[in-house]
Amino acid sequence: MKEQWAEEALEKVRKKIRVTAEKNRDKIPYKTDENGDYDDNSDIREDGSGLDWWTNGFWGGTLWRMFEDTGDKAFAEIAAISEKKMEACFDHYYGLNHDVGFMYMLTAGADYRLTGNKESLRYLLHAANLLAGRFNPAGNYIRAWNDVWGHNTGWAIIDCMMNLSLLYYASEITEDPRFRNIAKLHADTVIDAFVRKDGSCCHIVEFDPETGKRIKSMGGQGYGTGSSWTRGQAWGLYGFVISYIHTGIKKYLDTAVKIADYCIKNIPESGLIPIDFRQPEEPALEDCCGACIMACGFIELSKQFEGKEGAAYLEAGKKILKTIVDQRCDFSLDCDAFVQNCSVAYHSDGHNVTMNYADYFFIEGLHKLEDIGSFYW
Ligand code: GLY
């Protein structure tokens, strides 16, 4: 699987991140500003945009990956700083939501996996219990977000497929199947309520929280109702591969294949991923963050097949990552982040921005190609 271009890219990553990690050691960054400097989300903010922000695990996750890659303990030390800070979110409580999987799997989860740290285990199990507590047995879904956009108790989102790994890991550690059973029920609901016949996925689905009846889907961060937000397709693709890896349930693999085949049909020749596969031609908005997640999903999916069967998925993953390396990556010290041209949502001002999770999945993807590091999901 090894690729010369991927190894060369990783060498540049190693060089740059030694500097940026040290420069930002006391921060929990999300994105860079106009000077290329990282912001900081280390403080509790009532609107949830600070220490509770859902992307806060990706900085630690990136550093744990680099610790595994280089053996340099400085990366582990800096990762542990953000993990410790994020303990305060449990006390604050109100800012936490379905994204505790993203937040704690890549910090506490990676730490526990790699070092056996007992404090990390406590964070991890606390987070798993919060996630399990969001499950609604009427409708069999894990509730998304809190009441930020009205009283949306019936909302679930495709992104949450990635948070299920926290539940699988909690069951594995505690040998208590409750967490895994909740994850499976949610994944089954997503197959029925989110994944369309052609393999495209809705972003948000609203259920009646009393009866569980599906009410409607919403465009969410994509172009509109019935569209195909590419980062959502990526969360679904990778999320179903992860559910298959943890359960061996064939319909999860089949669903990942269905989403992957749909994506392959819609990826432009350029290898650059739009924000939505169903957006108008102009403006040609793109999302390199979704691209990196999709690449990870493709590569992991390819590993589930013997011989040549998964080759098309591996090639799709490689093509996306190579396009990012060649055209959308800043390996210089002018910008703290690597991956450029990310998008928050189709209908937002956040286009052509950097995002810490784009960098996380970019590095995870390169590591997959080079067989470096552990599987954190
Ligand atoms: N809602 C999570 C994301 O932006 O991908």
Side-chain angles (χ1 to χ4, degrees):
M1 226 202 265
K2 297 197 178 189
E3 294 284 337
Q4 173 97 20
W5 60 266
E7 179 47 35
E8 284 169 11
L10 265 178
E11 206 37 56
K12 292 182 200 166
V13 167
R14 291 176 192 121
K15 222 167 141 200
K16 169 166 165 168
I17 207 164
R18 278 184 207 282
V19 180
T20 54
E22 205 49 60
K23 174 182 164 190
N24 297 289
R25 63 178 292 129
D26 292 316
K27 292 183 179 177
I28 309 183
Y30 166 47
K31 59 183 180 331
T32 50
D33 64 17
E34 58 286 359
N35 300 316
D37 295 318
Y38 270 140
D39 59 358
D40 183 20
N41 289 284
S42 296
D43 56 316
I44 293 275
R45 293 174 213 149
E46 284 315 310
D47 67 357
S49 66
L51 194 60
D52 303 308
W53 186 238
W54 75 278
T55 66
N56 281 356
F58 292 105
W59 174 240
T62 299
L63 298 171
W64 282 115
R65 296 216 67 87
M66 293 318 297
F67 166 65
E68 286 204 88
D69 179 311
T70 62
D72 185 342
K73 289 200 178 72
F75 288 120
E77 281 166 24
I78 303 171
I81 295 173
S82 62
E83 179 186 345
K84 184 74 198 148
K85 283 182 182 171
M86 284 164 61
E87 184 181 11
C89 301
F90 293 124
D91 273 345
H92 180 234
Y93 174 73
Y94 290 109
L96 293 177
N97 58 36
H98 65 281
D99 279 329
V100 288
F102 283 122
M103 290 174 74
Y104 292 96
M105 274 304 272
L106 298 179
T107 49
D111 193 348
Y112 180 66
R113 212 181 278 278
L114 299 177
T115 73
N117 183 353
K118 288 280 184 306
E119 276 295 274
S120 302
L121 179 60
R122 188 165 64 83
Y123 302 156
L124 200 65
L125 294 180
H126 198 154
N129 277 286
L130 288 174
L131 185 57
R134 303 184 68 88
F135 180 71
N136 186 342
N140 288 330
Y141 64 90
I142 292 171
R143 186 202 162 167
W145 298 303
N146 300 322
D147 284 349
V148 273
W149 298 288
H151 191 52
N152 43 279
T153 48
W155 287 18
I157 57 174
I158 189 77
D159 325 27
C160 197
M161 283 305 301
M162 292 296 289
N163 287 302
L164 302 187
S165 57
L166 173 62
L167 299 176
Y168 294 127
Y169 196 35
S171 273
E172 200 183 295
I173 293 168
T174 60
E175 296 181 8
D176 180 340
R178 280 178 304 137
F179 303 101
R180 184 190 312 115
N181 289 338
I182 286 175
K184 282 159 50 182
L185 286 169
H186 179 83
D188 293 346
T189 299
V190 172
I191 293 177
D192 293 340
F194 285 70
V195 184
R196 305 184 189 111
K197 276 205 178 68
D198 65 359
S200 68
C201 308
C202 314
H203 181 195
I204 303 173
V205 170
E206 181 175 11
F207 299 91
D208 180 325
E210 295 290 353
T211 66
K213 188 173 176 295
R214 185 187 192 277
I215 297 173
K216 63 173 192 274
S217 74
M218 284 167 263
Q221 286 163 264
Y223 178 62
T225 306
S227 76
S228 175
W229 176 47
T230 51
R231 199 153 71 240
Q233 318 312 293
W235 292 137
L237 161 57
Y238 200 3
F240 274 105
V241 181
I242 290 167
S243 275
Y244 174 68
I245 289 171
H246 286 286
T247 65
I249 295 173
K250 176 80 168 37
K251 73 176 165 186
Y252 298 153
L253 180 65
D254 293 344
T255 306
V257 164
K258 188 170 165 180
I259 301 170
D261 289 348
Y262 162 80
C263 290
I264 287 176
K265 273 191 215 130
N266 286 278
I267 292 173
E269 195 42 48
S270 67
L272 293 167
I273 307 297
I275 299 171
D276 195 305
F277 281 133
R278 295 180 183 158
Q279 71 190 33
E281 271 183 36
E282 292 297 334
L285 300 173
E286 60 182 90
D287 180 29
C288 291
C289 179
C292 293
I293 301 160
M294 202 177 279
C296 285
F298 277 134
I299 298 168
E300 207 57 45
L301 178 60
S302 74
K303 293 190 204 163
Q304 309 312 316
F305 298 97
E306 302 274 328
K308 288 194 175 147
E309 217 188 331
Y313 303 125
L314 178 59
E315 283 316 307
K318 279 189 201 168
K319 179 169 176 176
I320 292 174
L321 285 178
K322 186 157 187 327
T323 306
I324 301 279
V325 167
D326 292 344
Q327 300 181 42
R328 293 291 186 263
C329 207
D330 188 340
F331 291 110
S332 81
L333 291 174
D334 292 343
C335 177
D336 286 347
F338 290 96
V339 179
Q340 310 292 308
N341 296 57
C342 303
S343 247
V344 175
Y346 187 90
H347 299 286
S348 84
D349 297 331
H351 302 307
N352 300 321
V353 293
T354 64
M355 290 167 155
N356 66 355
Y357 53 125
D359 282 8
Y360 172 81
F361 285 103
F362 174 62
I363 293 169
E364 185 187 306
L366 293 177
H367 278 168
K368 284 184 197 300
L369 293 180
E370 296 299 293
D371 281 333
I372 294 170
S374 313
F375 187 62
Y376 293 179
W377 302 105

